[in-house]
Amino acid sequence: MNFTILQTEGIQLEGKLAGSTVSVTYTSMLYEQPADNQCFLGLWQNSRIPFGLGSIVTKQISNNQRIGSASFPIHATNVSYIVGWGAGSEAGKSDPNYKSIGASLIFTPGTGSGGITPGVAYQCQIQPIDVSYDSVLVKFTTLPGNTPKSNENWIGLWLNDTLDFNGGYLQKWDVSSSSPEDTQGLEVTDQIKAGTIYTLAYATGNRKSDIVARCTFRTADY
């Protein structure tokens, strides 16, 4: 079945390291309530996210505005730092889920000029690569170091283009791969319809609100 991708989206991070401060601007997912969903930003002294390990500094997102910013103090300027966006807390707890990082911003010494080091951004992505009446084959990309299966990542499918962070999906699948980038076939219980808009989403935690990427597509008419 032919299809057309209408929109893709992920968590957007931008920022710079200047002097002893890392500053970050974020844009969260459309329709998300970052504070209500307990999203957070964490800072690590590392060149990639150490999934499951607590950060040097953790800052909870304090409001439900889609766009916001945060700053972090650092103590050494000759080492790499990375900031990660966490999708939320541990299920049933208030503790940040450090396995749920869905976007990152890396600051590498010596890559800037004038005393300013720009951040290099990475984000999770998902999109269909084949669609049939009974299944959807998707490709997903997460952050280096992520093990989707053990970190309880999942994929959801919604009807139309509005993403529901409360679990209003048509169907949900656990990610079966341990690779941060892979493909997965999703068998559907209700047939995919022609001439219809659907939304796929990728979540990096086990809660219904832990979504960090989406792709909206339209199947071709008969």
Side-chain angles (χ1 to χ4, degrees), residues 22-190:
V22 168
S23 60
V24 177
T25 299
Y26 63 82
T27 302
S28 63
M29 298 286 292
L30 191 64
Y31 310 120
E32 175 154 30
Q33 303 292 301
D36 292 349
N37 292 340
Q38 299 176 301
C39 299
F40 64 91
L41 290 168
L43 173 75
W44 289 264
Q45 186 177 300
N46 211 312
S47 58
R48 73 177 191 174
I49 298 294
F51 284 85
L53 297 181
S55 56
I56 300 171
V57 181
T58 300
K59 295 198 172 186
Q60 295 290 149
I61 305 301
S62 60
N63 62 67
N64 286 321
Q65 298 297 316
R66 189 181 178 204
I67 298 175
S69 61
S71 61
F72 299 86
I74 62 170
H75 302 292
T77 58
N78 60 342
V79 296
S80 296
Y81 286 90
I82 188 166
V83 173
W85 171 278
S89 63
E90 297 277 1
K93 302 179 182 179
S94 59
D95 300 329
N97 180 2
Y98 293 110
K99 296 182 293 185
S100 73
I101 308 301
S104 66
L105 199 59
I106 303 172
F107 303 90
T108 304
T111 58
S113 62
I116 297 176
T117 300
V120 177
Y122 293 84
Q123 62 178 203
C124 292
Q125 299 176 354
I126 186 170
Q127 68 178 57
I129 56 177
D130 188 57
V131 178
S132 67
Y133 294 107
D134 299 313
S135 65
V136 180
L137 179 63
V138 302
K139 178 181 179 180
F140 62 84
T141 302
T142 67
L143 304 186
N146 182 33
T147 51
K149 183 177 181 179
S150 61
N151 288 341
E152 299 181 276
N153 292 187
W154 57 270
I155 295 168
L157 179 70
W158 283 257
L159 185 63
N160 297 318
D161 59 355
T162 301
L163 193 59
D164 180 1
F165 285 79
N166 294 312
Y169 36 71
L170 294 173
Q171 199 167 340
K172 169 182 174 288
W173 300 264
D174 293 333
V175 177
S176 58
S177 175
S178 295
S179 173
E181 181 175 351
D182 210 338
T183 60
Q184 182 166 329
L186 312 174
E187 295 185 358
V188 298
T189 53
D190 294 323

